[in-house]
Amino acid sequence: MKLRIGSLLFIAICFLVIGCESENIEEYFADAECPTDNVSFQADVRPILDSHCMACHNSLAQLGGVVLESYEDVLVYVENERLLGSIKHLPGFSPMPQIGTMLDDCSIGKIEAWIQSGAPDN
Ligand code: HEC
């Protein structure tokens, strides 16, 4: 009986270790595919906005009065938290993009990381 409990415990610990490791591996690959260190406004954030938002939020169309053309334009919506609220579909914000599907996790992750790093003009 003692032996059985011992081996059950052993198996349980194995699963625990494997479980933790595979989580780390997933995290590792997620980070390799979608690095969120030193996110750049010009190289990372700008292209996402250009392809998913600019049709409606350029200075001519400015749907909803929202312009996301220059860094300064975008900063307004960083500071009033509407940029993140709308792309993450948080309650109290209009979900964006208004037409089509939600941005992919990597794009949202990059924009969020850029905002958390102080939304630099880089
Ligand atoms: C098809 C047109 C269209 C697209 C594409 C679009 N928007 Fe909008 N957006 C609108 C309209 C219209 C409004 C104003 C009406 C509303 O708030 O629903 C708006 C409002 C907003 C607001 C204000 C939201 C609020 O709660 O006050 C933000 C921020 C915004 N858009 C950001 C974005 C971002 C970021 C993208 C790209 C990921 C995007 N939009 C894509 C049409 C669009």
Side-chain angles (χ1 to χ4, degrees):
M1 193 58 194
K2 249 190 190 166
L3 191 73
R4 259 209 205 149
I5 291 175
S7 37
L8 277 180
L9 207 68
F10 177 72
I11 291 169
I13 288 171
C14 283
F15 272 111
L16 214 71
V17 170
I18 291 168
C20 293
E21 273 182 359
S22 64
E23 216 168 78
N24 285 342
I25 290 169
E26 263 169 35
E27 250 172 49
Y28 176 79
F29 279 114
D31 205 50
E33 281 167 17
C34 185
T36 51
D37 297 336
N38 303 318
V39 177
S40 151
F41 178 70
Q42 292 301 337
D44 300 299
V45 176
R46 181 79 268 159
I48 300 170
L49 300 181
D50 282 348
S51 48
H52 298 278
C53 320
M54 220 30 72
C56 300
H57 295 302
N58 64 64
S59 55
L60 287 175
Q62 47 179 291
L63 294 190
V66 177
V67 180
L68 298 174
E69 230 166 49
S70 67
Y71 166 78
E72 284 75 17
D73 293 335
V74 176
L75 201 61
V76 172
Y77 293 93
V78 168
E79 284 171 354
N80 66 18
E81 295 174 6
R82 298 204 162 266
L83 181 65
L84 210 53
S86 65
I87 62 170
K88 289 182 80 173
H89 294 191
L90 298 180
F93 301 95
S94 302
M96 292 291 141
Q98 201 192 39
I99 293 176
T101 49
M102 195 173 176
L103 294 182
D104 59 280
D105 287 348
C106 180
S107 298
I108 295 174
K110 280 189 187 282
I111 293 176
E112 191 162 22
W114 173 71
I115 292 173
Q116 274 166 4
S117 71
D121 185 6
N122 56 357

